[in-house]
Amino acid sequence: MSDRYPALVAALLERHGTTFADELGVNIERNTPSPLFRLLCLAMLTSAPVQADIAMRAARAMADAGWTTPKKLADSTWSQRVKALNGAGYARVDEKTATQLKDFNDTLLSEYGGDLRRLREAADGDTDTAIKKLMAFKGIGKVGASIFLREVQTAWPEFYPFADKATLKAASTLGLGEDAESLSRQVSQSDVVRLIAALVRTQLANDFQAIREAAGHN
């Protein structure tokens, strides 16, 4: 376990410190259109009423189908999207989500030329504006917008530090702070997104006791 941070923080990072972008296999720090697009797709898929692991499988299925850019997704058919989503476990909402993917992709192409860095420019460093613009995409709610923003802050540092309700709920449970600024003081800036992901994963897995035990907090 790392001695750079307090035991509880080190336990979080060691047990659950993989960002969702890393799990998806994209390098957000590159700040190029394809990784940003794939992260947005994951945020949209996570907004549906499905488990987080199913949303991740669906995002990977989209990549396996070759839909790694807005243009490539635009070339897909509705039936192809339904098949990919259904195979990933979206049995109940595959048809609706297949339609939403087209709608949100059309908006991305028409409003931003398929490049989310233009959304970044339009938000001009304002978190509320960024969330509002993300929620303008079909199928992306507050949760999905927050997922995107908490992961993208590694490439868009003007939004640092950002933590959503799910993150702060877990942080509060472990006594690590009540707001993003308090949380950011626990680790270096380069590790904030990992800590946020670890807290969210701990919340999803209800893994608090295991984290406490790993940190020696019995």
Side-chain angles (χ1 to χ4, degrees):
M1 188 176 294
S2 171
D3 59 2
R4 293 177 59 201
Y5 301 130
L8 198 64
V9 172
L12 280 163
L13 292 174
E14 183 173 306
R15 190 174 178 89
H16 290 307
T18 301
T19 70
F20 290 88
D22 282 345
E23 184 181 354
L24 184 59
V26 298
N27 184 355
I28 291 300
E29 292 184 8
R30 289 175 56 199
N31 191 35
T32 51
S34 180
L36 294 171
F37 169 71
R38 291 186 61 194
L39 179 61
L40 187 69
C41 288
L42 176 63
M44 188 275 222
L45 292 164
T46 306
S47 294
V50 297
Q51 294 178 341
D53 60 333
I54 293 177
M56 181 62 71
R57 287 205 302 269
R60 286 174 168 169
M62 289 182 61
D64 290 343
W67 307 327
T68 55
T69 68
K71 185 179 184 305
K72 290 176 180 177
L73 181 59
D75 290 337
S76 69
T77 66
W78 180 82
S79 60
Q80 287 173 332
R81 295 191 297 274
V82 169
K83 182 178 180 180
L85 292 169
N86 188 275
Y90 263 68
R92 294 183 296 107
V93 292
D94 50 354
E95 295 184 1
K96 177 181 179 181
T97 305
T99 300
Q100 288 179 335
L101 279 170
K102 180 183 184 304
D103 291 341
F104 114 100
N105 196 52
D106 287 347
T107 299
L108 178 56
L109 287 166
S110 63
E111 295 292 325
Y112 304 107
D115 189 343
L116 284 161
R117 293 174 298 185
R118 297 183 182 179
L119 183 150
R120 177 189 186 183
E121 293 173 3
D124 196 25
D126 185 78
T127 299
D128 290 339
T129 300
I131 288 176
K132 182 178 179 180
K133 289 185 176 298
L134 289 164
M135 290 176 64
F137 289 107
K138 187 74 171 181
I140 295 185
K142 185 68 174 289
V143 171
S146 296
I147 289 170
F148 182 86
L149 204 56
R150 76 188 187 211
E151 291 270 326
V152 84
Q153 64 183 306
T154 187
W156 298 356
E158 64 269 31
F159 298 110
Y160 167 88
F162 174 81
D164 58 355
K165 287 183 179 180
T167 303
L168 295 178
K169 181 179 180 181
S172 178
T173 299
L174 292 170
L176 293 178
E178 304 286 338
D179 54 46
E181 288 74 18
S182 297
L183 198 58
S184 70
R185 290 193 288 270
Q186 302 287 341
V187 293
S188 65
Q189 185 169 347
S190 62
D191 276 338
V192 163
V193 176
R194 289 185 62 224
L195 178 57
I196 287 171
L199 286 164
V200 172
R201 292 182 188 280
T202 300
Q203 182 75 38
L204 289 170
N206 193 22
D207 208 20
F208 295 102
Q209 187 57 33
I211 293 296
R212 293 188 183 99
E213 290 175 356
H217 296 186
N218 298 320

